[in-house]
Amino acid sequence: MSAAIKMRSDFSGDELLRFASAAHDGEQTRRLMALAAIADGKNRTQASAIGLMDLQTLRDWVIRFNEGGPDSL
């Protein structure tokens, strides 16, 4: 198994949760909540369960978030 991709750290878990609560799209809310869990120190398995996605999908969203921030989700 390969190492987890490091998630950018310029957004805190609290900031990501604020974005999630303001999102008008349920899918974006789930993605932001999963990333907030990672930012708050939860492991990837826990974060994927929060976001209702598998680990590969979470990895893909971390990559997208790293490239474009919250708006890219």
Side-chain angles (χ1 to χ4, degrees), residues 12-63:
S12 70
D14 288 340
E15 289 174 307
L16 292 171
L17 286 176
R18 278 194 291 279
F19 284 122
S21 68
H24 298 289
D25 180 309
E27 297 292 316
Q28 183 183 30
T29 298
R30 288 188 309 105
R31 294 173 193 135
L32 287 163
M33 289 177 62
L35 295 181
I38 294 170
D40 285 341
K42 296 215 183 305
N43 66 43
R44 301 287 170 114
T45 301
Q46 293 168 318
S48 66
I50 289 168
L52 303 174
M53 62 186 79
D54 61 31
L55 288 170
Q56 180 63 48
T57 302
L58 178 61
R59 178 188 179 279
D60 295 344
W61 286 114
V62 168
I63 292 169

